[in-house]
Amino acid sequence: MENREYIKTGSQVYWRTLFIIFLGSMAAFGAEYCVQPIIPVIASSFGLNAVQGSLAVSLGLVGMSAAMLLIAGLAPRFDRKLATAVGLIGSCNTDYYARLQRQF
């Protein structure tokens, strides 16, 4: 079994880690809700009413919630540093390739 060193509750590293998790959560949910002001534009572009257009936000949150449940079940099986690095690199690559498109 591996010798792991855990963060002690109440330590300076603990509070830094908690703050980083808070910022990550804010970024994730902020990215979901940033489309709310343009729901009328989305609805008119696709010929939808406001309720149908708001499903873009609602279904995104449902997908994110389902993914979190799946990830929570799989997380103990993987190295956290590797999983974090793969996730960050994957999201950066997705953003980079999306910016290369003429229309997105």
Side-chain angles (χ1 to χ4, degrees):
M1 187 169 225
E2 292 181 32
N3 184 13
R4 292 186 180 210
E5 190 174 318
Y6 294 101
I7 298 173
K8 292 185 173 85
T9 304
S11 67
Q12 187 176 12
V13 174
Y14 172 81
W15 290 111
R16 280 191 208 153
T17 305
L18 198 61
F19 184 65
I20 297 290
I21 291 170
F22 170 74
L23 290 178
S25 300
M26 292 290 290
F29 284 100
E32 277 295 323
Y33 285 111
C34 72
V35 297
Q36 278 190 335
I38 61 169
I39 287 175
V41 176
I42 293 170
S44 66
S45 296
F46 293 104
L48 306 171
N49 61 32
V51 173
Q52 293 169 325
S54 69
L55 282 175
V57 174
S58 300
L59 292 177
L61 288 172
V62 168
M64 189 166 64
S65 300
M68 285 183 182
L69 289 173
L70 177 69
I71 290 169
L74 295 174
R77 299 179 184 173
F78 299 102
D79 179 50
R80 289 185 180 138
K81 282 187 179 181
L82 178 64
T84 302
V86 168
L88 287 172
I89 291 169
S91 66
C92 290
N93 285 338
T94 302
D95 183 58
Y96 175 73
Y97 290 120
R99 289 173 193 261
L100 292 177
Q101 302 299 317
R102 290 184 184 264
Q103 292 181 336
F104 180 69

